[in-house]
Amino acid sequence: MAVSSAAIRTRQRTRRFYVGMAIAIAITVFAGFSRTYFLKAYYGTPELSRLLHLHALVFTTWVLFFLAQTALVAAGKTYIHRRMGVAGAGLAALVVVLGTTTAILRVKGGAAPVPGVSGLSFLAIPLFDMLVFALLVGAALYFRRRLEAHKRLMTLGMIALTTAPIARLHLPMLPPGLPTFFGLTDLFIVVMLIYDLVTRRRIHPATIWGGLLLVASQPLRLMISGTSAWLAFAGWLTR
């Protein structure tokens, strides 16, 4: 009976943790894009193109879908969670397609989101976001029957998308720039590491390898973004 009660408490604590992570990510997305999308009527920001509206709609749907799936598991409704997973795979693919297309077309149209950085160089940032997201979510779907790995990889996939909204937050106390934005993104990973250590006394392999993939991609994209090979590739994509 003691073992059973402990197992129940552990299960409840795990469910609360992942729901909390999903809520924190959703709040980050809302706060980051509030001025340019969610509350744009209030702030009076410029109108978005149809492509950006579609991209924002699909991105928001994915965030809400992830939150709903996490809540379903927490409520013990795993059957519905699994049935919705099929639609989730298609929605994740749409996120990648629209995210990639939007990034390329914006640079093609002359956008340069970071002052002093050319659009072709900057293109490495969102394209790597999409690549890392696709790899993590793809791995999560592959390991969907290994629940401990699945939920960690899905959460890391969501974390991979948070750099964009974090970059749009107004944080006057911190120096602006990609290192800061990446560092704040990685705080989500740190929370997952701490959770594993506290609850399991060791870090789950999915947290290790998924986290390493995400963290390693950050300096890598900065390193290659100014190389002649990348600039030639980005120029080919946007011509």
Side-chain angles (χ1 to χ4, degrees):
M1 180 64 70
V3 174
S4 178
S5 298
I8 291 173
R9 288 196 299 271
T10 299
R11 190 179 304 115
Q12 291 173 340
R13 181 170 55 186
T14 298
R15 290 174 174 176
R16 286 196 297 268
F17 173 77
Y18 283 100
V19 169
M21 287 290 289
I23 292 173
I25 291 171
I27 290 174
T28 301
V29 171
F30 178 81
F33 289 110
S34 60
R35 291 175 177 268
T36 57
Y37 185 65
F38 297 110
L39 301 177
K40 67 183 309 300
Y42 175 79
Y43 287 103
T45 48
E47 187 58 44
L48 301 176
S49 66
R50 291 182 180 179
L51 177 61
L52 287 177
H53 268 298
L54 180 60
H55 169 65
L57 176 62
V58 170
F59 184 95
T60 302
T61 303
W62 171 257
V63 173
L64 294 176
F65 175 83
F66 176 75
L67 180 58
Q69 285 288 75
T70 307
L72 285 172
V73 173
K77 299 179 180 179
T78 54
Y79 173 75
I80 301 176
H81 172 89
R82 289 194 295 268
R83 292 295 298 270
M84 289 179 62
V86 177
L91 182 57
L94 191 56
V95 168
V96 174
V97 171
L98 273 176
T100 302
T101 302
T102 301
I104 292 172
L105 291 181
R106 289 197 70 198
V107 171
K108 188 174 182 178
V114 178
V117 179
S118 72
L120 294 181
S121 293
F122 178 79
L123 190 58
I125 306 302
L127 291 191
F128 265 82
D129 281 342
M130 292 297 98
L131 175 61
V132 172
F133 171 79
L135 290 174
L136 289 170
V137 173
L141 293 174
Y142 180 80
F143 292 113
R144 62 190 178 277
R145 298 188 186 280
R146 301 183 185 180
L147 302 183
E148 293 299 317
H150 173 75
K151 59 192 175 187
R152 286 170 170 83
L153 291 168
M154 285 298 297
T155 303
L156 288 166
M158 283 300 305
I159 293 171
L161 298 180
T162 60
T163 303
I166 286 173
R168 289 163 173 80
L169 292 173
H170 291 267
L171 302 170
M173 71 294 294
L174 296 175
L178 289 172
T180 296
F181 305 147
F182 286 143
L184 292 175
T185 300
D186 295 342
L187 289 179
F188 284 108
I189 303 176
V190 172
V191 172
M192 293 186 67
L193 294 173
I194 294 173
Y195 173 78
D196 274 0
L197 288 173
V198 169
T199 59
R200 306 178 76 251
R201 300 295 186 268
R202 63 187 184 279
I203 302 173
H204 193 281
T207 308
I208 295 174
W209 295 110
L212 281 176
L213 172 66
L214 177 51
V215 173
S217 77
Q218 295 166 350
L220 177 61
R221 64 186 87 178
L222 295 178
M223 290 168 57
I224 72 169
S225 63
T227 64
S228 57
W230 174 262
L231 293 175
F233 174 68
W236 174 76
L237 286 176
T238 56
R239 67 184 179 187

